[in-house]
Amino acid sequence: MKHTPLDPSAIGSRLRNSVGILSAVVLAITLTACGGGSTSGGGGGGGGQVVGITINPATRSLGVGESATFTATVTNTSNTSVYWLVVEGNSGGTITSAGLYTAPNTAGTYHVLVTSQADTTKSATAVVTVSASPTRTVTGSTVVTFHTTDTTGAFTPPQDVPQNASTFALAALVPNGNGGFTSISGTGASDGTYSITGVPTGYFWLTDGRGTFVWTQNNTVDTGIDYIGDSTVTIGSATVSLTMTGASAWQTSDFAIFYSPNTGTYKRFFTSGSAGSTSLSDVIDLTSPLLNSTKGDYAIVYQLVHHTVTGGGYKAVERFYSQPDPFSTPNGVQTQLNAAFTPVTNNSTVHLSVNASQFATFTPLMGPGATNSSTCLGVQALPSSAGTGFTNNVAGDVILADDCQSGTPNLADRNLGDIPYGDPYFPPNWPLFAEFVHMVSVPYTLPGTTAAYNATAGNIAYNTTLPTSTAPIVPLVGPVLNPTIKAYGSSTSVSFQSNASGVGTSPVIAWDSPSASFGTPTEYVVTITALANSSGTTVAQTLASKTLWIGGGVHSIQVPPGVMTTGNTYFIEISAVVATGLDAESSPYRRSLPYGQSDVLSGLITP
């Protein structure tokens, strides 16, 4: 239905200044209250038909400042355009040409009038009851919970480290119904707690001014995260000189790993070692968080031995060493580690199989020109409980299929059969999970550049239920369907995956749920990244990326202010997420196993 702006000189002045017409409006209101919701009379339709018009809803209750959309239906004429009007004028609120009514800040009873352009004697009225909104105080906390283990692998008590919320630009951004937002500032404390008073009921964007926004209607929000590792780490440059004896006869297709869960260190070594060697000697560069024995950091070293089986190949841990004492890698120092591997006793099996073809069907949905870039199939051990500490995923290897770290994607269905492994050689309290990770690449080339920026998007399935002969790994969630973008107030949406311009700095992004064949999302994450021209190469301004966190029941959002600016070009990612126990509106950043994610990338988006 087409809507055109009201001509105040033609309609508005007559309604407000003419006693006779205002009396007719009162009559229309009376009819509406009796269930009519419309007026009609003779003439105006052509061919002897009478133009009719109705408004829906005929009655509506709102709080002050809240918004609602009314729709008009015009019959018996090809001209279905209408005029919208608030009878009481500006004191009664505002209404757009699309029928979006925003209540005033004063309680009362008001009237929305819609008039047919084909016959201006035909109109309908809705009664709006506006009451004083109960406002509330939104409270929350922002705490990083660090999870570490001792040298036996036992979980140490989590350490909560509050972030100093007194330095945050806390605000609730409340939609005002006219395409903008009302910003209500909050205050934070050094203990990580914060509060924002005077927030109306309903949804709002919660932001701390650091580039993340949470779409929530909750009174209490936990914006903390879980993290595997020390509460403080030192970044530096160190080396470790390793000599590991008792190795399985080395194959160039084997992996050897130096691993420290408390710092997230994961380093391959002996990659060019001599075939057949049972002693692995190498020097590892640790330009990364340094290990600190005073914090309980320790080293794990293991060898994944390659095997070829029907359907492909895999590597399984068959030699293992865990440092019996805390271990340090001082800055600028080369530390020695000379030790012997212990053979891993295989006492369990996993039937490693994946329906990778299901993941492959996602590729054309994941972005314009998306191409498969990598896959990884395997089993991992998590140095934390399955319910916490999953934000940075510094897991240890148990089994890796041949595609992992090869850079060659394998999206054929695979069944590698029953693979033996030691359960556990990592500590028994570390939960095992099967993984399949499928990554794609999407190129972006700005005008005036010759080299593209290749963004990545992924499909992730991490499941604590290990695959069996009858239940292979399958996607836990699929990509969103039919994503669109449009300027606020526009009646025309365009495909999210086409290049789009003129969408404004606060566009509306919408999508449909992923296929019901896969999991139901518990959360959507929208990431908006600006692109730039750097000497003829398109680059991403990743440090300036903004992230919007949205509950799984929401399928349309308006981008909050300050995220997009005129003159920039962006690409946008929508991630569908499923995580056990996740409540995206009350604790959006916490993670748990099982965990699934599926991403969709946009075209080039210009405000």
Side-chain angles (χ1 to χ4, degrees):
M1 180 184 300
K2 180 181 178 182
H3 302 277
T4 56
L6 173 68
D7 179 355
S9 63
I11 300 294
S13 60
R14 289 188 294 167
L15 287 175
R16 286 189 285 271
N17 299 325
S18 169
V19 174
I21 293 182
L22 190 56
S23 298
V25 171
V26 173
L27 174 60
I29 294 171
T30 302
L31 291 174
T32 300
C34 294
S38 66
T39 62
S40 60
Q49 291 184 315
V50 177
V51 172
I53 185 169
T54 58
I55 188 170
N56 185 52
T59 61
R60 184 65 189 264
S61 297
L62 295 172
V64 295
E66 292 186 337
S67 300
T69 298
F70 291 88
T71 59
T73 302
V74 180
T75 57
N76 297 331
T77 177
S78 60
N79 181 5
T80 58
S81 299
V82 296
Y83 297 118
W84 290 99
L85 182 74
V86 177
V87 173
E88 289 77 15
N90 291 337
S91 64
T94 60
I95 193 162
T96 70
S97 60
L100 178 64
Y101 171 80
T102 300
N105 291 324
T106 303
T109 300
Y110 305 100
H111 307 93
V112 172
L113 180 75
V114 63
T115 302
S116 167
Q117 289 190 22
D119 183 350
T120 57
T121 67
K122 305 302 183 293
S123 59
T125 308
V127 179
V128 183
T129 301
V130 177
S131 58
S133 178
T135 59
R136 56 192 164 147
T137 297
V138 174
T139 62
S141 64
T142 176
V143 172
V144 180
T145 303
F146 290 90
H147 301 267
T148 58
T149 67
D150 63 23
T151 55
T152 70
F155 302 151
T156 55
Q159 182 180 8
D160 288 336
V161 178
Q163 300 177 75
N164 185 358
S166 67
T167 65
F168 297 166
L170 291 156
L173 306 178
V174 182
N176 63 13
N178 295 315
F181 294 83
T182 300
S183 179
I184 304 171
S185 298
T187 57
S190 59
D191 65 357
T193 60
Y194 56 83
S195 63
I196 308 174
T197 60
V199 180
T201 56
Y203 276 97
F204 63 96
W205 286 113
L206 173 66
T207 181
D208 60 12
R210 298 183 297 171
T212 59
F213 300 78
V214 179
W215 185 241
T216 183
Q217 56 184 336
N218 287 10
N219 294 341
T220 303
V221 183
D222 167 21
T223 50
I225 64 172
D226 289 284
Y227 196 86
I228 297 175
D230 295 330
S231 59
T232 60
V233 293
T234 301
I235 304 297
S237 180
T239 57
V240 176
S241 177
L242 278 171
T243 297
M244 304 301 300
T245 60
S248 177
W250 183 257
Q251 307 168 90
T252 56
S253 53
D254 289 352
F255 283 178
I257 305 294
F258 177 91
Y259 172 54
S260 178
N262 287 349
T263 61
T265 303
Y266 181 95
K267 293 283 185 177
R268 289 176 60 185
F269 68 96
F270 206 70
T271 54
S272 59
S274 301
S277 176
T278 58
S279 178
L280 313 182
S281 296
D282 211 337
V283 176
I284 303 173
D285 180 5
L286 294 183
T287 305
S288 61
L290 301 175
L291 279 68
N292 186 335
S293 62
T294 65
K295 297 179 181 178
D297 296 343
Y298 61 102
I300 293 174
V301 187
Y302 53 90
Q303 179 186 1
L304 292 105
V305 178
H306 183 266
H307 298 269
T308 299
V309 294
T310 301
Y314 71 91
K315 301 168 181 65
V317 175
E318 296 186 5
R319 296 293 188 271
F320 192 78
Y321 165 81
S322 182
Q323 173 73 22
D325 299 306
F327 190 72
S328 287
T329 56
N331 190 35
V333 174
Q334 184 172 98
T335 305
Q336 301 292 319
L337 178 55
N338 303 321
F341 279 128
T342 298
V344 172
T345 300
N346 291 330
N347 57 7
S348 189
T349 62
V350 59
H351 194 95
L352 197 59
S353 58
V354 59
N355 284 358
S357 60
Q358 293 187 10
F359 293 85
T361 63
F362 299 156
T363 301
L365 304 175
M366 295 176 68
T371 57
N372 299 315
S373 57
S374 67
T375 54
C376 185
L377 168 66
V379 176
Q380 303 281 297
L382 185 69
S384 177
S385 71
T388 59
F390 199 64
T391 300
N392 54 325
N393 184 20
V394 288
D397 302 308
V398 177
I399 299 167
L400 293 178
D402 277 353
D403 56 327
C404 296
Q405 299 186 344
S406 70
T408 302
N410 187 343
L411 286 161
D413 290 347
R414 273 176 286 168
N415 185 345
L416 302 185
D418 290 331
I419 294 177
Y421 67 95
D423 181 18
Y425 56 85
F426 283 112
N429 56 323
W430 290 22
L432 299 184
F433 64 95
E435 69 166 347
F436 187 76
V437 178
H438 163 219
M439 302 300 295
V440 305
S441 177
V442 176
Y444 292 99
T445 306
L446 289 177
T449 66
T450 56
Y453 171 76
N454 291 304
T456 58
N459 297 297
I460 298 171
Y462 296 147
N463 204 330
T464 49
T465 300
L466 301 183
T468 67
S469 59
T470 57
I473 298 172
V474 295
L476 295 179
V477 66
V480 300
L481 301 177
N482 306 315
T484 61
I485 189 168
K486 68 176 182 178
Y488 179 86
S490 171
S491 60
T492 304
S493 298
V494 297
S495 170
F496 179 78
Q497 294 184 320
S498 301
N499 293 344
S501 60
V503 300
T505 56
S506 286
V508 175
I509 301 172
W511 59 88
D512 293 334
S513 297
S515 169
S517 300
F518 308 108
T520 301
T522 53
E523 180 179 66
Y524 297 104
V525 183
V526 175
T527 305
I528 302 176
T529 303
L531 295 167
N533 182 339
S534 177
S535 302
T537 298
T538 299
V539 297
Q541 303 178 50
T542 53
L543 295 179
S545 293
K546 304 294 192 297
T547 308
L548 317 178
W549 304 79
I550 303 126
V554 177
H555 298 91
S556 175
I557 54 96
Q558 183 186 3
V559 175
V563 172
M564 301 174 69
T565 58
T566 302
N568 278 329
T569 298
Y570 300 85
F571 72 90
I572 303 174
E573 178 182 73
I574 304 176
S575 300
V577 173
V578 57
T580 303
L582 173 66
D583 183 343
E585 293 186 14
S586 62
S587 54
Y589 311 146
R590 305 286 182 180
R591 289 291 180 265
S592 62
L593 290 172
Y595 178 86
Q597 178 176 321
S598 190
D599 305 330
V600 169
L601 294 180
S602 72
L604 293 171
I605 307 297
T606 305

